[in-house]
Amino acid sequence: MKLRRTTEKRSAFVHPNALGIGARTLTFPDGATCAFFAVTGYPREVGAGWLEPLLTYPGRLDVCLHIEPIPQAVAAMRLRRQLARLESSSQADTQQGRLQDFDTEAAADDATELAASLARGHGRLFKVGLYLTVHAASQEDLTAEVERVRTLAASLLLDAQPTTFRALQGWASCLPFATDAIGLTRSFDTTALAAAFPFTSPDLPVPTSTSAVLYGLSASSSGVVLWDRFAQDNHNSVTLAQSGAGKSFFTKLETLRLLYQGVEVAVVDPEDEYARLAHAVGGTYLRLGATGVRWNPLDLPASHGPRDDVLARRALFLQTLIATMLGQASLGPHIRATLDTAVLTTYAEAGITRDPATWSRPAPLLGDLVTTLTGHPQGEDIAVQLAPYVTGSYRELFDGPTTTHPSGHLIVFSLRDLPEEMKAVGTLLALDAIWRRVANPRDRRKRLVVVDEAWLLMREDAGARFLFRMAKAARKHWAGLAVVTQDAADLLGSELGQAIVANAAGQILLRQAPQAIGAIGATFGLSEGERQFLLTAERGEALLVAGPASRIAFQVIASPIEAELITTDPAELAELARRESRDGPTPTPFTSTFVQDEDEEDGDPL
């Protein structure tokens, strides 16, 4: 039987989902291809964020970092061996009359410093593998992308070598499986490894403490924007934006992320926007102006320093408060003298004198002060003007002892239930209560005071001066003041407002109205490009100004759970309400304790 040789070309069978494996590349069924590289050479010294250029590469580039700690005993043994080899090499060169090898000398110095750091417990050693995956739509595009990536790596003094005949292992090493199939590692110490993490921005100072807050992603790159207000010269900030630009969303996001770090936050909330957040994290929520809620401005602080004259300070604050109640920029000297005498007399009638032993007695009420003024020859006019707050339409807030004392890690003063004429008075009362907590010498901790819609207080001269004093003195008490407003004219149109801006280490500017961009641009020294950015910014896009040399545009980023807690969008709130009515309240990872109108002393609501 003859066998007939066939001349027909046999066609190979290729599965539609087959993966083409080459020497240096992988080809996917849709025609896309990728190449893989392992970094085998590194510079001697690196700075913070030294991987940022690779992480912000404009093309599709995967950067994979495999980290494995080396036990201390093993690290010490390896360093001893390395030092012995280097010293032996140097001695051999000297004995044979060779020229000095500067690379060997530098390596010996580095090994000595690293060994000393490990011995003192200042750091550890890690095995680190750095791998790159370059993606492209076709083989021609891949060649160009590979050339650009290798050039970028070379500019960083990184030697990126292709994983020849190990393309599949290179692909597996760059997948999120925590598997290093290549195994080309280099020993890193703690400092060099920490500098590789993408938690810095090249446009901002490197955070130096644990209280840095993630604001979002840089608008000019894919890098993150971190800002640590407590690492600056002062801890204050000013946030300016027109209505609907996202200033409240941003402020609540920073508040929530500071709470993660144990920072105590107090908020003056004129529009009841922090209720969901306070409910979720177990904060203290006080609704000034609501039925049954009382606030006594004559209360003395429960704790004070050994040399504090609490009574005198309370008398001075009451003069500021009454000036705001009367709608006057300031009180004349005769009225101040009359008020001071009436306040001290009112306290004396309640058994409270300059003796600290009497300061724990129940404080008199605002009505008692008005009664004292009525009997004073020069106090009749003041008593008549204060009558609405004692016997008239505004009496409910002051008609009795304080019902809820502020305490806890988040304190929110809601002013929505107050009439418009009382908003400035309510803001001043809230700031006074917060400041007494901040200035307590027996309880030092990081704190942030948020004054939302600060224009309500800036309209009153006495309130503006109080806010200015807080901005000046907050740093001394380890606290920061965050002033948030949509009316730039009220803040920038007065000397006190400009002084508050000048005492803020950070300024966050969101979308601005054309009518206000001129004043804002002149105040903050904005370039023409920055002005155009603020005029055309989308919701959540902002410009962080931290001095003339540190400014960066960014997009505010929140997780889905954070967005549910802090959103103020009516459509989103309506959808959340429908969902909760159908499925019940959405569980959150936070403790939920809601304090509203209960009689509470200074105990922690948690």
Side-chain angles (χ1 to χ4, degrees):
M1 184 177 179
K2 276 187 178 180
L3 294 176
R4 185 177 63 179
R5 174 179 290 180
T6 61
T7 58
E8 300 172 353
K9 187 176 180 180
R10 298 176 60 187
S11 61
F13 174 75
V14 179
H15 193 275
N17 292 327
L19 182 68
I21 304 175
R24 295 184 177 179
T25 62
L26 289 182
T27 303
F28 297 96
D30 60 354
T33 182
C34 55
F36 310 93
F37 297 87
V39 176
T40 58
Y42 296 86
R44 184 189 175 196
E45 295 181 358
V46 294
W50 58 275
L51 275 181
E52 181 76 14
L54 288 175
L55 297 171
T56 58
Y57 180 72
R60 186 180 175 189
L61 174 66
D62 296 339
V63 181
C64 183
L65 204 63
H66 288 269
I67 304 170
E68 180 182 351
I70 302 176
Q72 292 287 77
V74 176
M77 179 184 64
R78 290 182 179 178
L79 282 174
R80 284 196 298 268
R81 290 179 180 176
Q82 181 71 2
L83 280 171
R85 284 195 295 266
L86 294 172
E87 291 176 359
S88 176
S89 177
S90 297
Q91 291 176 3
D93 290 342
T94 302
Q95 291 174 0
Q96 297 179 14
R98 297 194 186 102
L99 293 176
Q100 186 178 10
D101 188 348
F102 294 105
D103 290 339
T104 302
E105 293 294 332
D109 292 341
D110 292 343
T112 302
E113 293 178 4
L114 186 55
S117 176
L118 291 178
R120 295 185 178 93
H122 293 167
R124 295 189 60 181
L125 276 185
F126 301 85
K127 289 195 299 183
V128 177
L130 179 58
Y131 309 114
L132 309 176
T133 301
V134 184
H135 297 264
S138 64
Q139 187 64 42
E140 292 77 11
D141 295 339
L142 181 64
T143 303
E145 286 291 321
V146 165
E147 185 63 27
R148 283 193 286 268
V149 170
R150 297 195 71 178
T151 301
L152 176 59
S155 69
L156 301 174
L157 301 182
L158 300 176
D159 186 10
Q161 294 295 330
T163 57
T164 306
F165 297 114
R166 303 183 71 184
L168 190 60
Q169 288 85 346
W171 185 41
S173 298
C174 289
L175 292 176
F177 296 154
T179 301
D180 185 0
I182 299 294
L184 292 176
T185 60
R186 170 75 176 268
S187 294
F188 275 53
D189 65 343
T190 305
T191 303
L193 181 59
F197 279 79
F199 297 144
T200 60
S201 171
D203 302 309
L204 290 174
V206 180
T208 57
S209 69
T210 58
S211 55
V213 171
L214 173 64
Y215 277 4
L217 297 180
S218 172
S220 58
S221 67
S222 59
V224 297
V225 175
L226 286 161
W227 180 247
D228 185 2
R229 66 166 64 239
F230 292 100
Q232 311 309 314
D233 294 336
N234 62 69
H235 316 321
N236 304 333
S237 68
V238 172
T239 303
L240 295 176
Q242 69 175 152
S243 179
K247 63 182 183 304
S248 295
F249 186 94
F250 165 77
T251 304
K252 284 183 282 187
L253 182 63
E254 183 186 15
T255 296
L256 181 58
R257 289 174 176 173
L258 284 174
L259 289 172
Y260 297 159
Q261 302 169 3
V263 178
E264 183 180 299
V265 182
V267 182
V268 180
D269 177 19
E271 297 297 335
D272 203 25
E273 295 182 345
Y274 289 76
R276 291 175 57 85
L277 178 59
H279 179 79
V281 303
T284 302
Y285 184 73
L286 297 99
R287 294 178 55 191
L288 299 184
T291 302
V293 178
R294 303 287 186 271
W295 191 265
N296 183 13
L298 279 76
D299 280 339
L300 297 179
S303 58
H304 50 80
R307 299 181 180 178
D308 288 347
D309 191 345
V310 174
L311 196 60
R313 292 189 178 185
R314 189 78 330 217
L316 292 175
F317 168 74
L318 286 171
Q319 293 180 18
T320 302
L321 176 66
I322 291 175
T324 305
M325 287 178 169
L326 302 182
Q328 299 181 14
S330 61
L331 301 176
H334 296 292
I335 297 179
R336 284 188 175 276
T338 301
L339 264 180
D340 186 67
T341 302
V343 167
L344 296 179
T345 302
T346 303
Y347 277 115
E349 291 175 352
I352 299 175
T353 64
R354 295 188 182 275
D355 182 4
T358 65
W359 294 348
S360 59
R361 294 175 179 174
L365 303 177
L366 184 63
D368 299 327
L369 175 60
V370 173
T371 301
T372 304
L373 286 169
T374 303
H376 196 282
Q378 298 179 352
E380 290 285 349
D381 185 53
I382 304 176
V384 170
Q385 295 181 67
L386 289 178
Y389 299 95
V390 177
T391 58
S393 303
Y394 308 146
R395 71 182 184 281
E396 188 169 4
L397 179 62
F398 304 104
D399 190 19
T402 301
T403 54
T404 304
H405 293 271
S407 61
H409 55 290
L410 174 63
I411 305 169
V412 178
F413 289 86
S414 174
L415 310 180
R416 191 176 70 172
D417 294 321
L418 289 175
E420 193 65 28
E421 298 78 8
M422 285 278 292
K423 290 290 179 70
V425 174
T427 304
L428 195 58
L429 289 173
L431 286 177
D432 171 64
I434 294 170
W435 183 249
R436 283 191 284 173
R437 189 173 180 87
V438 167
N440 182 3
R442 299 181 181 179
D443 186 17
R444 297 290 189 191
R445 66 178 71 184
K446 287 183 180 179
R447 288 184 170 96
L448 177 66
V449 181
V450 178
V451 183
D452 207 344
E453 302 297 347
W455 61 271
L456 293 170
L457 194 61
M458 295 300 298
R459 293 182 304 182
E460 305 292 340
D461 187 70
R465 287 200 303 270
F466 188 89
L467 199 63
F468 170 69
R469 291 195 298 268
M470 180 178 288
K472 294 280 287 185
R475 180 188 60 83
K476 301 176 183 178
H477 300 282
W478 208 8
L481 174 66
V483 177
V484 185
T485 184
Q486 64 179 343
D487 197 333
D490 282 334
L491 188 63
L492 304 179
S494 64
E495 293 183 0
L496 288 175
Q498 293 180 3
I500 291 173
V501 172
N503 280 277
Q507 294 100 26
I508 298 92
L509 308 177
L510 291 94
R511 185 175 67 244
Q512 301 295 327
Q515 297 82 358
I517 194 64
I520 291 175
T523 301
F524 298 101
L526 303 180
S527 65
E528 187 61 32
E530 290 169 340
R531 297 186 187 206
Q532 290 300 320
F533 171 78
L534 294 179
L535 287 173
T536 60
E538 299 292 335
R539 178 181 295 182
E541 291 182 343
L543 178 67
L544 172 61
V545 180
S550 299
R551 50 185 65 197
I552 183 173
F554 66 94
Q555 172 70 44
V556 179
I557 300 295
S559 69
I561 291 180
E562 289 173 327
E564 284 191 5
L565 292 179
I566 63 181
T567 183
T568 55
D569 189 305
E572 295 178 2
L573 291 175
E575 177 60 29
L576 287 173
R578 285 194 295 268
R579 188 194 313 167
E580 291 179 357
S581 63
R582 183 182 69 247
D583 304 329
T586 303
T588 66
F590 310 104
T591 303
S592 179
T593 302
F594 193 64
V595 180
Q596 182 172 340
D597 298 333
E598 298 89 343
D599 291 332
E600 179 189 29
E601 296 300 327
D602 291 330
D604 192 334
L606 292 181

